[in-house]
PDB file of all heavy atoms in Angstrom:
ATOM      1  N   LYS A  14       8.897   1.330 -15.289  1.00  0.00           N
ATOM      2  CA  LYS A  14       8.440   0.986 -13.949  1.00  0.00           C
ATOM      3  C   LYS A  14       8.875   2.007 -12.911  1.00  0.00           C
ATOM      4  O   LYS A  14       8.374   2.027 -11.802  1.00  0.00           O
ATOM      5  CB  LYS A  14       9.054  -0.355 -13.545  1.00  0.00           C
ATOM      6  CG  LYS A  14       8.142  -1.533 -13.705  1.00  0.00           C
ATOM      7  CD  LYS A  14       8.772  -2.736 -13.015  1.00  0.00           C
ATOM      8  CE  LYS A  14       8.108  -4.000 -13.505  1.00  0.00           C
ATOM      9  NZ  LYS A  14       8.771  -5.193 -13.008  1.00  0.00           N
ATOM     10  N   TYR A  15       9.877   2.781 -13.240  1.00  0.00           N
ATOM     11  CA  TYR A  15      10.485   3.666 -12.256  1.00  0.00           C
ATOM     12  C   TYR A  15      10.462   5.129 -12.686  1.00  0.00           C
ATOM     13  O   TYR A  15      10.508   5.437 -13.877  1.00  0.00           O
ATOM     14  CB  TYR A  15      11.946   3.244 -12.022  1.00  0.00           C
ATOM     15  CG  TYR A  15      12.084   2.154 -10.993  1.00  0.00           C
ATOM     16  CD1 TYR A  15      11.961   0.812 -11.344  1.00  0.00           C
ATOM     17  CD2 TYR A  15      12.312   2.469  -9.666  1.00  0.00           C
ATOM     18  CE1 TYR A  15      12.073  -0.193 -10.390  1.00  0.00           C
ATOM     19  CE2 TYR A  15      12.426   1.483  -8.694  1.00  0.00           C
ATOM     20  CZ  TYR A  15      12.314   0.152  -9.068  1.00  0.00           C
ATOM     21  OH  TYR A  15      12.421  -0.818  -8.115  1.00  0.00           O
ATOM     22  N   PHE A  16      10.401   6.018 -11.711  1.00  0.00           N
ATOM     23  CA  PHE A  16      10.610   7.448 -11.909  1.00  0.00           C
ATOM     24  C   PHE A  16      11.942   7.739 -11.224  1.00  0.00           C
ATOM     25  O   PHE A  16      11.979   7.886  -9.996  1.00  0.00           O
ATOM     26  CB  PHE A  16       9.493   8.262 -11.265  1.00  0.00           C
ATOM     27  CG  PHE A  16       8.120   7.846 -11.716  1.00  0.00           C
ATOM     28  CD1 PHE A  16       7.364   6.971 -10.965  1.00  0.00           C
ATOM     29  CD2 PHE A  16       7.598   8.317 -12.924  1.00  0.00           C
ATOM     30  CE1 PHE A  16       6.110   6.574 -11.388  1.00  0.00           C
ATOM     31  CE2 PHE A  16       6.342   7.919 -13.346  1.00  0.00           C
ATOM     32  CZ  PHE A  16       5.597   7.051 -12.581  1.00  0.00           C
ATOM     33  N   GLY A  17      13.024   7.769 -12.009  1.00  0.00           N
ATOM     34  CA  GLY A  17      14.338   7.825 -11.376  1.00  0.00           C
ATOM     35  C   GLY A  17      14.492   6.566 -10.540  1.00  0.00           C
ATOM     36  O   GLY A  17      14.292   5.460 -11.035  1.00  0.00           O
ATOM     37  N   LYS A  18      14.809   6.747  -9.248  1.00  0.00           N
ATOM     38  CA  LYS A  18      14.924   5.539  -8.425  1.00  0.00           C
ATOM     39  C   LYS A  18      13.645   5.243  -7.643  1.00  0.00           C
ATOM     40  O   LYS A  18      13.625   4.364  -6.784  1.00  0.00           O
ATOM     41  CB  LYS A  18      16.134   5.647  -7.487  1.00  0.00           C
ATOM     42  CG  LYS A  18      16.136   6.819  -6.535  1.00  0.00           C
ATOM     43  CD  LYS A  18      17.383   6.724  -5.637  1.00  0.00           C
ATOM     44  CE  LYS A  18      17.328   7.670  -4.471  1.00  0.00           C
ATOM     45  NZ  LYS A  18      18.003   8.953  -4.703  1.00  0.00           N
ATOM     46  N   PHE A  19      12.573   5.952  -7.936  1.00  0.00           N
ATOM     47  CA  PHE A  19      11.324   5.768  -7.193  1.00  0.00           C
ATOM     48  C   PHE A  19      10.283   5.013  -8.017  1.00  0.00           C
ATOM     49  O   PHE A  19      10.298   5.070  -9.239  1.00  0.00           O
ATOM     50  CB  PHE A  19      10.772   7.124  -6.758  1.00  0.00           C
ATOM     51  CG  PHE A  19      11.739   7.880  -5.896  1.00  0.00           C
ATOM     52  CD1 PHE A  19      12.435   8.974  -6.405  1.00  0.00           C
ATOM     53  CD2 PHE A  19      11.995   7.470  -4.596  1.00  0.00           C
ATOM     54  CE1 PHE A  19      13.357   9.650  -5.618  1.00  0.00           C
ATOM     55  CE2 PHE A  19      12.917   8.144  -3.810  1.00  0.00           C
ATOM     56  CZ  PHE A  19      13.594   9.239  -4.320  1.00  0.00           C
ATOM     57  N   GLY A  20       9.363   4.366  -7.305  1.00  0.00           N
ATOM     58  CA  GLY A  20       8.309   3.620  -7.980  1.00  0.00           C
ATOM     59  C   GLY A  20       8.560   2.132  -7.836  1.00  0.00           C
ATOM     60  O   GLY A  20       8.837   1.638  -6.749  1.00  0.00           O
ATOM     61  N   GLY A  21       8.486   1.403  -8.948  1.00  0.00           N
ATOM     62  CA  GLY A  21       8.697  -0.044  -8.905  1.00  0.00           C
ATOM     63  C   GLY A  21       7.426  -0.815  -8.621  1.00  0.00           C
ATOM     64  O   GLY A  21       6.309  -0.269  -8.679  1.00  0.00           O
ATOM     65  N   GLN A  22       7.620  -2.089  -8.319  1.00  0.00           N
ATOM     66  CA  GLN A  22       6.470  -2.990  -8.152  1.00  0.00           C
ATOM     67  C   GLN A  22       6.749  -3.960  -7.000  1.00  0.00           C
ATOM     68  O   GLN A  22       7.001  -5.133  -7.196  1.00  0.00           O
ATOM     69  CB  GLN A  22       6.253  -3.756  -9.456  1.00  0.00           C
ATOM     70  CG  GLN A  22       4.831  -4.157  -9.736  1.00  0.00           C
ATOM     71  CD  GLN A  22       4.658  -4.685 -11.153  1.00  0.00           C
ATOM     72  OE1 GLN A  22       5.284  -5.663 -11.546  1.00  0.00           O
ATOM     73  NE2 GLN A  22       3.803  -4.040 -11.927  1.00  0.00           N
ATOM     74  N   PHE A  23       6.714  -3.422  -5.786  1.00  0.00           N
ATOM     75  CA  PHE A  23       7.036  -4.208  -4.593  1.00  0.00           C
ATOM     76  C   PHE A  23       5.767  -4.851  -4.031  1.00  0.00           C
ATOM     77  O   PHE A  23       5.172  -4.335  -3.090  1.00  0.00           O
ATOM     78  CB  PHE A  23       7.738  -3.329  -3.563  1.00  0.00           C
ATOM     79  CG  PHE A  23       9.071  -2.824  -4.052  1.00  0.00           C
ATOM     80  CD1 PHE A  23       9.167  -1.636  -4.773  1.00  0.00           C
ATOM     81  CD2 PHE A  23      10.230  -3.570  -3.840  1.00  0.00           C
ATOM     82  CE1 PHE A  23      10.382  -1.191  -5.258  1.00  0.00           C
ATOM     83  CE2 PHE A  23      11.451  -3.127  -4.320  1.00  0.00           C
ATOM     84  CZ  PHE A  23      11.529  -1.936  -5.038  1.00  0.00           C
ATOM     85  N   VAL A  24       5.364  -5.918  -4.671  1.00  0.00           N
ATOM     86  CA  VAL A  24       4.119  -6.586  -4.289  1.00  0.00           C
ATOM     87  C   VAL A  24       4.352  -8.086  -4.172  1.00  0.00           C
ATOM     88  O   VAL A  24       5.284  -8.622  -4.762  1.00  0.00           O
ATOM     89  CB  VAL A  24       3.005  -6.353  -5.340  1.00  0.00           C
ATOM     90  CG1 VAL A  24       2.581  -4.900  -5.364  1.00  0.00           C
ATOM     91  CG2 VAL A  24       3.442  -6.824  -6.715  1.00  0.00           C
ATOM     92  N   PRO A  25       3.481  -8.769  -3.414  1.00  0.00           N
ATOM     93  CA  PRO A  25       3.555 -10.232  -3.380  1.00  0.00           C
ATOM     94  C   PRO A  25       3.428 -10.798  -4.796  1.00  0.00           C
ATOM     95  O   PRO A  25       2.732 -10.225  -5.642  1.00  0.00           O
ATOM     96  CB  PRO A  25       2.358 -10.617  -2.512  1.00  0.00           C
ATOM     97  CG  PRO A  25       2.118  -9.434  -1.638  1.00  0.00           C
ATOM     98  CD  PRO A  25       2.449  -8.248  -2.497  1.00  0.00           C
TER      99      PRO A  25
END
Side-chain angles (χ1 to χ4, degrees):
Chain A
K14 260 191 197 173
Y15 275 86
F16 306 97
K18 59 177 192 265
F19 301 106
Q22 210 170 59
F23 296 88
V24 293

